[in-house]
Amino acid sequence: MDHRTYSYFPGCTLKNKAQDLDRYARASAEALGFTLQEIPDWQCCGGTYPLAKDEIATKLSSVRALADAQKAGQDLITLCTACHNVLKQVNSDMQNDENVIRKVNNYLAQDDIEYHGETKVVHYLEVLRDVVGWDNVKKAVKKPLTGKKIGAYYGCLLLRPGKVMQTDDPENPRLLEDFITAIGAVPVIYSQRNECCGAYTMFEDKDIPRSRTEKIITDAESHGAELLITACPLCRYNLIKNKGASSIDVVYFTELLAQALDVKEVR
């Protein structure tokens, strides 16, 4: 494919606790023929999509990022599934909700911004699937993870709400399994792969994520998974923190991609 440049919204977590998700994605993108151009002066998306219909203020940072991508004439790419979910849902509001469109644009007019949902929001995994193509990912692999049994952990935010996200089938996704196959490993299918890890309930009741992640890890291991991959920093945190005596590791998919492409730096 021709070399493409995407406007890139990293989000807060990729600048601190999830630096591996960011670093390996950038290096792998260059190896596969596209560039992540970080949006200047981006602001936190809020981490969760506001459900209140009259909540406008917390959507403004997302709209600014979307408008920046539109101004650059680029699609907007994300990695963190929480950021992706917020940006995609806010973008849908700016296409379909006249109340939100009017109020947001009235507010942002002071910054000479007018936006109506023109930007396409894509997840990094969608670019691998829909733009690069799995066959081309396979061709670029230099160190295939042959025989490695890997379980995909989607969580909630990458897939739901399905009508807005349109990433994959929320009940029977294949996106991460196809990625695992492309880097030469063996995907492990298990029932808990698209169930919630407990997410933000960890701040109020730690028993909820503990119980949920135990089920996820037990299910994955019982089906033969040696490793779990995810695109969500919060999911990874909950899975690692609550895995108990399990020896299974949980890593970002970008780390394995960089390893397979032989662009992962040696520390």
Side-chain angles (χ1 to χ4, degrees):
M1 71 172 189
D2 295 333
H3 193 102
R4 294 195 185 191
T5 299
Y6 292 86
S7 290
Y8 173 43
F9 185 92
C12 306
T13 308
L14 273 69
K15 291 298 183 179
N16 44 75
K17 297 294 184 181
Q19 291 182 24
D20 283 351
L21 181 56
D22 173 76
R23 177 169 54 251
Y24 294 128
R26 292 177 189 262
S28 297
E30 294 297 333
L32 291 169
F34 62 100
T35 296
L36 307 184
Q37 182 176 296
E38 187 171 329
I39 291 174
D41 302 322
W42 56 267
Q43 299 170 314
C44 176
C45 70
T48 57
Y49 173 74
L51 296 177
K53 296 295 291 182
D54 59 351
E55 176 57 56
I56 300 299
T58 53
K59 297 180 180 180
L60 297 176
S61 61
S62 294
V63 176
R64 287 192 175 96
L66 292 160
D68 280 344
Q70 179 198 24
K71 185 177 181 180
Q74 298 168 348
D75 292 345
L76 179 61
I77 195 171
T78 62
L79 276 157
C80 169
T81 56
C83 294
H84 180 68
N85 188 281
V86 172
L87 287 162
K88 195 78 178 279
Q89 293 210 67
V90 170
N91 202 43
S92 178
D93 288 341
M94 297 303 296
Q95 295 167 342
N96 302 304
D97 191 320
E98 291 298 329
N99 179 57
V100 174
I101 294 168
R102 176 175 54 81
K103 289 183 176 180
V104 167
N105 279 311
N106 283 345
Y107 188 90
L108 294 179
Q110 60 187 321
D111 298 320
D112 293 322
I113 295 174
E114 182 174 352
Y115 183 74
H116 296 270
E118 296 88 348
T119 297
K120 182 178 181 181
V121 182
V122 294
H123 192 273
Y124 191 101
L125 284 161
E126 293 179 291
V127 173
L128 297 185
R129 178 189 65 194
D130 302 331
V131 181
V132 178
W134 295 129
D135 287 342
N136 288 324
V137 173
K138 291 176 185 177
K139 291 176 183 177
V141 168
K142 296 180 180 178
K143 293 183 176 180
L145 280 70
T146 306
K148 190 74 172 177
K149 296 178 180 179
I150 302 173
Y153 182 65
Y154 291 88
C156 309
L157 299 177
L158 186 62
L159 302 171
R160 298 181 176 92
K163 289 183 179 180
V164 176
M165 303 310 294
Q166 298 184 345
T167 309
D168 205 341
D169 182 346
E171 297 302 322
N172 188 29
R174 289 293 316 175
L175 181 59
L176 277 169
E177 283 79 12
D178 289 342
F179 165 77
I180 292 167
T181 300
I183 60 174
V186 179
V188 174
I189 307 295
Y190 62 105
S191 64
Q192 292 284 320
R193 63 201 173 108
N194 57 346
E195 296 294 330
C196 180
C197 70
Y200 294 102
T201 60
M202 58 176 284
F203 296 114
E204 295 184 2
D205 186 348
K206 295 181 180 179
D207 287 337
I208 296 174
R210 183 180 299 115
S211 174
R212 288 178 177 267
T213 52
E214 283 176 356
K215 289 180 181 178
I216 293 163
I217 290 172
T218 298
D219 187 27
E221 287 187 314
S222 70
H223 285 80
E226 304 167 338
L227 180 70
L228 291 180
I229 59 168
T230 188
C232 179
L234 184 56
C235 290
R236 181 173 184 263
Y237 174 83
N238 278 337
L239 287 166
I240 290 176
K241 182 177 178 59
N242 297 299
K243 70 177 185 175
S246 172
S247 61
I248 199 168
D249 199 4
V250 186
V251 302
Y252 295 120
F253 78 94
T254 54
E255 182 173 353
L256 293 192
L257 178 60
Q259 182 179 332
L261 296 174
D262 198 23
V263 295
K264 179 180 178 180
E265 71 272 21
V266 178
R267 296 185 182 180

